[in-house]
């Protein structure tokens, strides 16, 4: 293992992680990127970035031409997770994300990010099925709606906020139905994805399980 703690490999590595909201895929993606010396992209932030750009410049959220232009101009290196995680940005992003022209514009950028050395970890809803169908490793991370709602509730409470568990659970179930039922790029596991159910796992256990899958794929690729 190199001195920086990353794992040695002979070629660029691409890891695709999909799953529903609050399944733990984002935290897992960041841990894996650090472990293997890869770049990381939370693709959900790209839609929020477009929405934030429109709001900041006083542009309408219902003009597809303007939204597509903002999507193609988006700088993926300037995405601020803290700012883009605000509730208001999420509400705006939900309006932008349904525009047919916005998704392919962002997918182009996401694919370019994935193709840039030294490799990348992308997480989202359609990475293994649409954005990076030829990824070296595909993970589909799930957890029960109740577990995910509890995680989200604890996160809000730990941050000093207040939230109603029942409302969070209802929102997660609505998002699941919307994401899995949409006509364009629905949330579903790729045929060759590894299912990782984190309902009974802490992040360290999930991380170690994911590392075993990645290491096995790397060993197979290197002919070990």
């Amino acid at each position: 293992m190199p001195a920086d703690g990353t794992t040695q490999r002979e070629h660029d590595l691409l890891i695709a992680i999909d799953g529903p909201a609050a399944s733990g895929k984002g935290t897992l993606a960041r841990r894996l990127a650090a472990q293997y010396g890869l770049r990381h992209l939370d693709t959900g932030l790209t839609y929020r970035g477009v929405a934030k750009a429109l709001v900041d410049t006083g542009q309408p959220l219902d003009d597809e031409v303007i939204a597509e232009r903002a999507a193609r101009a988006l700088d993926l290196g300037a995405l601020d997770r803290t700012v883009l995680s605000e509730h208001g940005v999420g509400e705006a992003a939900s309006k932008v994300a349904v525009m047919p022209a916005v998704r392919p514009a962002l997918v182009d950028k996401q694919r370019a990010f994935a193709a840039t050395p030294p490799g990348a970890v992308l997480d989202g809803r359609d990475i293994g099925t649409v954005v990076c169908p030829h990824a070296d490793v595909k993970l589909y991370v799930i957890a029960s709606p109740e577990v995910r709602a509890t995680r989200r509730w604890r996160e809000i409470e730990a941050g000093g906020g207040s939230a109603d568990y029942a409302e969070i659970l209802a929102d997660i179930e609505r998002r699941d139905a919307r994401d899995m039922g949409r006509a364009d790029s629905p949330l579903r596991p790729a045929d060759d994805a590894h299912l990782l159910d984190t309902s009974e796992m802490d992040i360290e256990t999930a991380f170690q399980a994911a590392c075993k899958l990645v290491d096995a794929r790397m060993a197979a690729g290197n002919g070990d």
Side-chain angles (χ1 to χ4, degrees), residues 44-56:
L45 292 184
T46 63
Y47 294 91
R48 288 173 174 258
V50 173
K52 185 71 164 55
L54 295 177
V55 171
D56 286 350

Side-chain angles (χ1 to χ4, degrees), residues 6-184:
T6 60
T7 300
Q8 183 67 46
R9 61 184 185 281
E10 296 182 357
H11 57 81
D12 293 346
L13 177 67
L14 180 57
I15 302 174
I17 305 181
D18 292 304
S23 60
K25 66 181 183 296
T27 302
L28 182 60
R30 292 189 291 275
R31 288 283 303 271
L32 288 174
Q35 173 71 13
Y36 295 99
L38 306 174
R39 302 160 74 234
H40 169 245
L41 178 63
D42 175 349
T43 59
L45 292 184
T46 63
Y47 294 91
R48 288 173 174 258
V50 173
K52 185 71 164 55
L54 295 177
V55 171
D56 286 350
T57 55
Q59 301 287 346
L61 293 173
D62 58 356
D63 188 314
E64 189 168 350
V65 173
I66 293 176
E68 180 187 5
R69 187 181 305 133
R72 296 200 178 278
L74 185 67
D75 179 3
L76 299 190
L79 300 176
D80 186 325
R81 172 177 298 277
T82 300
V83 172
L84 296 179
S85 294
E86 294 176 357
H87 180 72
V89 178
E91 290 293 309
S94 67
K95 299 177 181 178
V96 170
V98 298
M99 296 180 181
V102 171
R103 185 172 294 276
L106 290 179
V107 167
D108 286 345
K109 283 186 170 291
Q110 293 161 8
R111 286 174 174 164
F113 183 96
T116 303
V121 182
L122 277 71
D123 69 89
R125 301 289 195 278
D126 59 355
I127 310 304
T129 54
V130 176
V131 180
C132 301
H134 302 300
D136 298 295
V137 179
K138 300 177 187 178
L139 302 176
Y140 191 76
V141 184
I142 63 170
S144 71
E146 293 77 14
V147 167
R148 289 185 282 135
T150 298
R151 289 173 180 169
R152 183 61 54 83
W153 177 79
R154 287 175 176 168
E155 181 181 350
I156 294 172
E157 293 284 324
S162 61
D164 181 86
Y165 170 82
E167 291 182 359
I168 295 174
L169 177 59
D171 180 62
I172 281 177
E173 290 175 335
R174 284 193 298 269
R175 289 186 63 179
D176 285 354
R178 183 176 67 241
D179 289 341
M180 295 176 185
R182 69 191 184 199
D184 184 13

